[in-house]
Amino acid sequence: MSWSYSDSDRDAVYRVIAERRDIRTGFLPDAVPDAVLTRVLAAAHRAPSVGMAQPWDFLVIRSAARRRRIHEEVRRCRAAYAETLPASRAAAFNRIVLDAIVRAPVCVVVTCDPTRGGWYTLGTPDGSEALVRSVGYAIENLWLAARAEGVGVCLVAAFDVAALSRVLGLPSQLEIIACLSLGYVDRFPAAPGLVRDGWVRGRPLEWVIHHEEFGHRGLPGQPAARLLDETVAGFPALAGGEPAREAEPATLSTPLGRTVSRLVALTQAHPPAPHGVLALFAADTDRSDGRAEQAVREVLDSGGMDRLMAATGIEACVVDVGLHAELPRIPGLLPRRGTNRSARPLREDVVRAVETGIELARDYHATGHGWLVGDVLTADDSSAIAIIARLMNRSPAEFATMSTEDARSAAARQDHAGPAGADPLDILAEHAGLAVAALAGFILGARAVRAPVLLAGSGAAAAALTASLLAPDATASCFPVTPFPPGVPDPFQHLGLAPPWPDSPVDLTGPGAAAGAVPVLRAAAEQHWPVPELAAATGGAR
């Protein structure tokens, strides 16, 4: 005996899931009948909850005056949040319309009572968190039922919980989880609103399914693959579509023009989205003696990240892929460390670091970032220089004229000797180059989704070399913005890469220096991007 639904009933379930939308505009003034609203709330009330505590309450508000008061509170919080965003993100955020609270005829405020069921609610060893998650299940039920009824739902979650609770006069034990605007709409869009607004792109299903161990990805029934292997083996398949075309050599003759031509080849004539992100990968090396932690704290505590975001309009974060110290949760810090906390990483640790970078690049691209900037944040450049020497089969002594203590330290090291053509991941493990490994993965992940990565400095050069040895096509995503100092082997030149200008128009020194080039390259790309109609009319000349 089969307990499955009929084909038509099953199709209806999957259809309502696929067509659920967060509706921002197009609400009609028609009232939602009481019977319809009752069915929708009954579906929410049937949601699973830990210990069957049913910790939710639904405050139904039809009064226009009360909905205006909610809207005023939400607008205040939106304005405060917009001020914290980089310029390009703030502009996109402010274009997102949020007046459903006053235009939809019904607002449902969903709350959680963490004391529901008393102190010993079954299945709540971690306190109220399990109860809060249960309310999320109820909201999803409500949303799907509303779509089946042809009722649009707009989720509002950006508000000051305490302030809105005072506005609504809620009992002190209740926590507001969401405000939902409900009403009939003129249409249900084919794509989610944030995708249409260019805020996100979404993540494919195969990115999020793991088999037996985290990192072994694949759809059910398909062979599971490590992320590194999958990425290196199939850039076009992962990105969707054909490989990037080679740029025509005669497109634009200046260094900046050739850079734009490379961008066209990489992104297949689609200009990158204006949003950008700087990822500073941090880890202790074999010679840093824990000083990388100090460098991370200085970057995060000095306000430098905020100033950089204000100056360039891009987001910025520090990614901990191997600091010896356990840092607390600091705004701007992404914890991505592996389980091995020893000073000497294993090859498997290096592979995990590479995969961390791949996933981060893909995730940032999925959330709407067209410009990626990668750098290594460390207190010791000598390991990066030693890695460059090994990967280029050169002596570290050739880099001593860089006139830095780290370069001289690298030149004096005796552990650079090794067989030509050694596995780059083994070389990174020898030098505890986890940050370099993660940035190499960032480059690979960017190439997989056809996003440019701006690079500067020895750590970024070591990562570009590593990525090119793992997959030669990875260099298509690399855009160095400064050359190496004269008189030393230039890893970027070794890879056939050139900066977009002989003399940089911006100051490109210090951690994350390449981020300073984003506004300039973004403007150049927008100005010189090929227009198909114009190219056809002029015989392809630009």
Side-chain angles (χ1 to χ4, degrees):
M1 177 179 180
S2 173
W3 292 95
S4 63
Y5 290 175
S6 66
D7 290 347
S8 60
D9 287 346
R10 187 169 58 247
D11 289 345
V13 172
Y14 290 124
R15 178 186 171 190
V16 75
I17 292 172
E19 295 182 358
R20 181 205 60 77
R21 292 289 178 268
D22 186 22
I23 305 296
R24 300 282 164 174
T25 60
F27 281 94
L28 304 175
D30 309 44
V32 178
D34 291 340
V36 172
L37 186 58
T38 298
R39 288 197 295 270
V40 169
L41 294 175
H45 192 56
R46 292 191 181 99
S49 60
V50 61
M52 202 173 176
Q54 299 176 306
W56 46 71
D57 285 282
F58 307 104
L59 177 58
V60 178
I61 300 174
R62 289 191 170 93
S63 163
R66 290 178 68 81
R67 285 187 284 115
R68 279 195 298 270
R69 291 181 66 188
I70 296 174
H71 186 240
E72 290 170 2
E73 178 59 31
V74 171
R75 285 184 59 185
R76 183 185 66 80
C77 289
R78 271 176 59 94
Y81 175 64
E83 291 180 357
T84 69
L85 295 174
S88 61
R89 276 300 205 188
F93 178 73
N94 289 330
R95 288 195 297 269
I96 299 175
V97 177
L98 190 62
D99 58 0
I101 296 174
V102 293
R103 295 193 178 277
V106 180
C107 177
V108 177
V109 178
V110 186
T111 66
C112 175
D113 182 353
T115 66
R116 190 70 52 82
W119 288 107
Y120 303 105
T121 300
L122 182 65
T124 58
D126 55 351
S128 63
E129 285 301 312
L131 296 171
V132 172
R133 291 194 293 269
S134 296
V135 176
Y137 312 150
I139 292 173
E140 178 71 0
N141 267 21
L142 183 154
W143 218 324
L144 295 175
R147 177 63 189 90
E149 297 280 0
V151 174
V153 176
C154 176
L155 170 67
V156 179
F159 47 78
D160 184 307
V161 172
L164 189 55
S165 295
R166 289 191 296 269
V167 167
L168 298 175
L170 295 178
S172 60
Q173 78 273 17
L174 297 185
E175 177 183 354
I176 301 176
I177 304 301
C179 292
L180 305 173
S181 296
L182 279 71
Y184 292 107
V185 294
D186 57 8
R187 66 189 180 96
F188 284 90
L194 292 181
V195 173
R196 300 194 314 274
D197 292 335
W199 189 265
V200 298
R201 295 181 177 88
R203 306 176 75 226
L205 178 62
E206 55 266 27
W207 288 14
V208 300
I209 299 176
H210 308 255
H211 295 277
E212 305 299 339
E213 296 182 39
F214 188 88
H216 292 252
R217 291 173 169 83
L219 296 175
Q222 295 182 353
R226 289 296 299 258
L227 182 55
L228 174 56
D229 298 332
E230 170 198 336
T231 303
V232 170
F235 281 145
L238 190 60
E242 296 300 318
R245 297 186 298 274
E246 291 295 328
E248 299 176 7
T251 49
L252 292 167
S253 59
T254 66
L256 181 57
R258 287 190 290 270
T259 297
V260 173
S261 296
R262 287 190 59 229
L263 285 167
V264 172
L266 173 65
T267 61
Q268 294 197 321
H270 298 292
H275 319 307
V277 63
L278 162 65
L280 290 172
F281 294 95
D284 280 296
T285 67
D286 55 344
R287 297 296 179 96
S288 61
D289 299 325
R291 288 179 291 134
E293 176 195 355
Q294 181 180 352
V296 169
R297 290 184 180 275
E298 288 176 355
V299 167
L300 293 176
D301 296 341
S302 66
M305 299 281 273
D306 293 335
R307 290 192 296 273
L308 185 144
M309 289 192 291
T312 62
I314 71 172
E315 298 178 32
C317 65
V318 174
V319 188
D320 174 8
V321 291
L323 294 175
H324 294 168
E326 185 86 36
L327 292 182
R329 295 181 66 89
I330 306 173
L333 178 67
L334 298 182
R336 293 293 188 275
R337 291 196 297 177
T339 56
N340 181 9
R341 303 299 172 86
S342 68
R344 180 67 65 178
L346 304 174
R347 188 180 192 279
E348 177 62 22
D349 300 320
V350 173
V351 172
R352 287 198 183 99
V354 172
E355 293 183 338
T356 293
I358 293 174
E359 187 153 34
L360 200 63
R362 299 196 317 184
D363 284 349
Y364 272 124
H365 186 264
T367 52
H369 295 82
W371 298 88
L372 307 181
V373 184
D375 205 345
V376 169
L377 181 60
T378 178
D380 172 44
D381 279 341
S382 66
S383 290
I385 295 170
I387 290 169
I388 290 171
R390 286 287 304 277
L391 296 178
M392 293 178 64
N393 197 26
R394 308 291 286 261
S395 167
E398 297 181 64
F399 297 85
T401 57
M402 292 178 68
S403 300
T404 66
E405 182 61 35
D406 287 336
R408 288 189 290 273
S409 174
R413 295 174 67 167
Q414 300 299 315
D415 59 349
H416 65 271
D423 189 313
L425 300 180
D426 289 335
I427 292 174
L428 295 187
E430 289 178 33
H431 296 280
L434 292 176
V436 171
L439 180 49
F442 199 64
I443 292 169
L444 293 171
R447 171 62 187 89
V449 293
R450 298 193 180 97
V453 181
L454 276 54
L455 304 168
S458 57
L465 287 168
T466 301
S468 72
L469 291 171
L470 293 173
D473 196 30
T475 56
S477 67
C478 298
F479 290 81
V481 297
T482 54
F484 255 48
V488 300
D490 188 330
F492 295 124
Q493 189 178 41
H494 174 79
L495 294 171
L497 304 172
W501 36 67
D503 298 309
S504 174
V506 290
D507 180 16
L508 296 174
T509 59
V518 171
V520 182
L521 281 179
R522 185 164 52 203
E526 292 171 355
Q527 179 180 358
H528 295 291
W529 214 263
V531 180
E533 293 81 2
L534 178 61
T538 59
R542 291 198 291 275

